[in-house]
Amino acid sequence: MLRHLLSLSLAQPGRSALCLLGILTWMLILLAWTDRFFLWPTALPILLLSLLAALIAWWNAPRRDQLVIAGILIAGLFLYMPPAEHVPLFGDAAIYPNTGALISRTGGLSTTYQPLAPLSAAPSQLFYVSALEQLDWIKLYSYKGLVYGAYYLTDPDHLVLESSRPPLVESWFAFLIALAGMRLALYATGIFAILSLILIYVVGSRAFHWQAAFWATLLLGLSYPQIYFGRAPYAEIFGQFFTWAGFYFALLWITEKKPFWLILAFFFWVTTWAARLDAILLMGSAGLLLILATLERDRRSLGFLALSLPVLGILAFLGTNWPYVGATYEMYAGRWTWFTPLFLVLIFGLLFSVPVFWIWRFPIMVVLRRVAPVIYLCLFVLMGFAILWATLPNPWREAGTYRDYQEIIWFSSLYLSPLFFWLAAAGIVWLLWRGVDRAQFLLCASLLLLSAVYFFRYTTAPVYPVALRRLLSDVLPLMALSCGAALTATWPGRQAGRTFGRWIQTGLGAATLLWMLLLSWPIIRQHEAAGSLAFIEEFHRQLPGQSVFLFEPQDADSWVGWLAAPLYSLYGQPAVLLKSDTPDPNLLARAVAEYEQAGQAVYVVSQHSPLPAPLLPPGYQAIVAHQTHWQSSLIGQTRDPYPPPFWKFDHPIYVYRLRVLSAEYTQPSSVGFRLAETVYELPR
């Protein structure tokens, strides 16, 4: 193995760069997992070596590939930057940079939630959502509570706070925040989006032709989902990169049969699991790769892979967020009774695929060759019907009526263009009917397996554009490669017919590209959450020390609660988020009293003036201590088809100082801003 690594580093700098990035990623995860993230500078040499290897690989590449990669880089800088400043907790995207900031500040994936330390058990329940009451339709037991909508409270008695997502993305954010600060760390998503496109181009060139890969890169790179998720800090872009690193080494193994490539394919797919939970569906691609190795009777590759399984298993364990996995399983199993049996069938099918195909290789292949035309014909009919009834107006397509294999394709095509789906289907038909080699078979079969799952039913919130995230890492790149195959397919017949066919293909490609560019044009011009990080930094400087800040929750008429999480995550500010805008008044008064007994002044942060009565505890009055406003923007999530709304907002923010009515009030010396004269009291 050491010999392989040494020869790899000397002869193949591009592959070395990928391996070094994989090693760096697991080093960061291990540092976070063991609460030793203060050792992050030890990862810098690996990062520098990876960058050096990537530069050497580009320098050694053919001139054509140099130009394409340089073009991807330049276009990516324009399309995916500046990043969306998802630091306020607008939704899932903000969880990753917030958790990264927490890891960078505290040193690990778990910490003690100090803002609740002064409180006894009863009043502390005002500031987190119990897992038993989080959802109306199911009770969750994998964790105890949810704080800010971003962290799990796994032990309320000891205030143990844990991350709520897999560790890969937040570990990368922690590393970059420690290295360069939050503002530059947000560029990580765009950088990984560019690297993913380069990988997809390389994989497409190896599996098909550079022209097919070029078309695929153009279509995917200019698509609305790639731009949206290339700017917002979701996990899917990181998952896209490691997914395609796995496909790259899988194709290397298919052509070269070196055991090390097979191990690296599984290594990068396990790494993808540490970024996004639905990477478990890559078991289908892993199973196909195992079957191909079995059909090749490649004992050496299978043997080395078996020896590496303990290491891969340890990595999978380290990359698992167990409360998150447990809660996700509880929700899926509670919603779909068939989920557990199907999952077990897939696991055992993967385990037994090798011995079954090893023992009955020849009879299975004979049967498959005989029935392949029938299978292909049925597949073409079903695929064509699903795409046409979803992308074309018809009596069976009704807005507001959900149908499996219709709505997700329909709504997705409004962001990608129906032509993108038609070309992808045409590419599959052409490849399978013409005949595919084993590399092309792996990609085609992976596309069909993943599409059968992701286009069947929502596995995320059914709102757009965020629902497109499930397609981004694997399905859309595979569809783009299929489009590229269709646009570069060789037409049968004489030269004149082939020339005419190429003109048709070029016209269809240009039309699809133009259509997708028009759909993406609004988001190209939008800068989501602009100025949010600067506002949070300034707001933090304005808040006094030795104080605790009670934020009203986000609801239909207040969004100030989005600011509580970053104040805590980035700065350790004692900012707590009320779980309800009508808290128990006695518990609220008790919480305020206990904070004051601990020597902390208590403030309520609200979007309303005057302070809503339910947020003013009995026996207290509220004084307007500070007033500001937050101007920014957000791409709204909508159940309606394209386009999503672009929301520019200007929220007023009021900071109220609470003091006891009966006490003589003296402004604490720790207060950092002058108190105003406006006073609000509960009626006596």
Side-chain angles (χ1 to χ4, degrees), residues 88-90 535 539 549-564 576-578 580-581 603-616 622 624 626-632 634 647-656 680:
L89 207 79
F90 300 125
F535 174 79
F539 192 48
F549 302 90
L550 281 54
F551 281 76
E552 67 182 359
Q554 186 269 324
D555 54 25
D557 60 354
S558 176
W559 295 269
V560 71
W562 286 337
L563 299 172
V576 293
L577 180 66
L578 286 159
S580 170
D581 52 10
Y603 295 82
V604 177
V605 184
S606 172
Q607 202 169 311
H608 300 96
S609 179
L611 181 68
L615 301 183
L616 185 60
V624 177
H626 182 63
Q627 179 179 346
T628 184
H629 63 99
W630 173 27
Q631 288 182 316
S632 191
L634 189 64
W647 180 29
K648 294 182 178 180
F649 59 79
D650 187 352
H651 295 324
I653 297 176
Y654 301 90
V655 183
Y656 298 92
Y680 301 105

Side-chain angles (χ1 to χ4, degrees), residues 591-602 620 657-660:
V592 174
E594 290 180 1
Y595 277 125
E596 290 178 333
Q597 290 169 7
Q600 293 177 292
V602 181
Y620 285 83
R657 169 74 160 91
L658 298 182
R659 67 182 176 96
V660 180

Side-chain angles (χ1 to χ4, degrees), residues 75-83 190 193-194 197 220-221 226-227 230-231:
L77 293 174
F78 170 72
L79 292 171
Y80 311 134
M81 298 176 189
I194 293 169
L197 288 177
L220 181 65
Q226 189 75 7
I227 297 172
R231 293 179 178 182

Side-chain angles (χ1 to χ4, degrees), residues 368-427:
L368 287 177
R369 287 192 185 98
R370 290 178 179 176
V371 301
V374 177
I375 294 175
Y376 288 168
L377 184 60
C378 294
L379 178 65
F380 298 159
V381 170
L382 292 173
M383 182 174 61
F385 174 76
I387 291 176
L388 290 176
W389 88 311
T391 58
L392 294 178
N394 59 75
W396 301 279
R397 195 181 77 169
E398 305 172 55
T401 301
Y402 172 82
R403 291 187 174 91
D404 295 336
Y405 288 120
Q406 185 188 68
E407 181 171 296
I408 299 176
I409 299 175
W410 175 15
F411 284 14
S412 300
S413 71
L414 298 177
Y415 285 83
L416 291 152
S417 86
L419 267 178
F420 182 78
F421 280 80
W422 300 344
L423 282 174

Side-chain angles (χ1 to χ4, degrees), residues 506-544:
T506 303
L508 284 174
T512 307
L513 199 61
L514 179 61
W515 196 343
M516 295 178 74
L517 181 60
L518 291 174
L519 293 173
S520 300
W521 186 247
I523 195 174
I524 291 174
R525 301 168 60 193
Q526 295 164 355
H527 183 191
E528 192 180 17
S532 290
L533 182 58
F535 174 79
I536 290 169
E537 292 170 346
E538 179 62 26
F539 192 48
H540 164 67
R541 284 192 291 267
Q542 293 170 345
L543 297 178

Side-chain angles (χ1 to χ4, degrees), residues 285-546:
S285 300
L288 291 170
L289 202 55
L290 285 176
I291 290 171
L292 290 176
T294 305
L295 294 176
E296 292 282 348
R297 299 282 179 164
D298 192 341
R299 292 180 174 85
R300 192 160 174 265
S301 294
L302 290 172
F304 276 104
L305 180 62
L307 292 175
S308 70
L309 287 180
V311 176
L312 295 175
I314 292 172
L315 294 179
F317 177 83
L318 294 175
T320 301
N321 183 316
W322 293 103
Y324 180 52
V325 170
T328 304
Y329 173 77
E330 287 176 315
M331 287 189 286
Y332 282 6
R335 179 178 296 172
W336 301 314
T337 56
W338 46 262
F339 177 79
T340 301
L342 178 61
F343 181 72
L344 292 175
V345 167
L346 290 175
I347 291 292
F348 283 105
L350 183 63
L351 293 175
F352 287 104
S353 60
V354 171
V356 168
F357 275 84
W358 191 278
I359 297 171
W360 292 291
R361 171 193 177 194
F362 291 108
I364 291 175
M365 292 305 298
V366 169
V367 172
L368 287 177
R369 287 192 185 98
R370 290 178 179 176
V371 301
V374 177
I375 294 175
Y376 288 168
L377 184 60
C378 294
L379 178 65
F380 298 159
V381 170
L382 292 173
M383 182 174 61
F385 174 76
I387 291 176
L388 290 176
W389 88 311
T391 58
L392 294 178
N394 59 75
W396 301 279
R397 195 181 77 169
E398 305 172 55
T401 301
Y402 172 82
R403 291 187 174 91
D404 295 336
Y405 288 120
Q406 185 188 68
E407 181 171 296
I408 299 176
I409 299 175
W410 175 15
F411 284 14
S412 300
S413 71
L414 298 177
Y415 285 83
L416 291 152
S417 86
L419 267 178
F420 182 78
F421 280 80
W422 300 344
L423 282 174
I428 289 288
V429 171
W430 179 75
L431 286 168
L432 293 181
W433 199 256
R434 180 212 63 177
V436 292
D437 59 29
R438 297 198 167 182
Q440 295 168 348
F441 170 78
L442 176 65
L443 297 178
C444 289
S446 296
L447 172 57
L448 293 171
L449 289 173
L450 292 165
S451 298
V453 177
Y454 286 125
F455 288 129
F456 170 57
R457 191 171 293 174
Y458 287 108
T459 57
T460 185
V463 290
Y464 288 81
V466 74
L468 297 169
R469 63 193 294 188
R470 291 291 182 259
L471 309 175
L472 187 76
S473 295
D474 32 46
V475 173
L476 294 185
L478 287 166
M479 290 179 66
L481 285 175
S482 184
C483 290
L487 292 172
T488 56
T490 303
W491 284 59
R494 298 181 178 179
Q495 184 61 38
R498 292 181 181 180
T499 302
F500 179 70
R502 289 195 195 98
W503 278 106
I504 293 177
Q505 289 168 305
T506 303
L508 284 174
T512 307
L513 199 61
L514 179 61
W515 196 343
M516 295 178 74
L517 181 60
L518 291 174
L519 293 173
S520 300
W521 186 247
I523 195 174
I524 291 174
R525 301 168 60 193
Q526 295 164 355
H527 183 191
E528 192 180 17
S532 290
L533 182 58
F535 174 79
I536 290 169
E537 292 170 346
E538 179 62 26
F539 192 48
H540 164 67
R541 284 192 291 267
Q542 293 170 345
L543 297 178
Q546 297 300 313

Side-chain angles (χ1 to χ4, degrees), residues 39-108:
L39 297 174
W40 65 266
T42 58
L44 284 175
I46 303 176
L47 177 63
L48 294 175
L49 285 174
S50 178
L51 292 174
L52 179 61
L55 184 61
I56 294 172
W58 177 81
W59 185 262
N60 292 339
R63 181 69 172 172
R64 180 190 62 228
D65 291 343
Q66 284 183 339
L67 293 175
V68 171
I69 292 170
I72 292 172
L73 176 61
I74 294 169
L77 293 174
F78 170 72
L79 292 171
Y80 311 134
M81 298 176 189
E85 298 178 31
H86 278 250
V87 182
L89 207 79
F90 300 125
D92 282 2
I95 292 176
Y96 299 101
N98 272 272
T99 308
L102 186 66
I103 294 170
S104 178
R105 183 170 61 81
T106 64

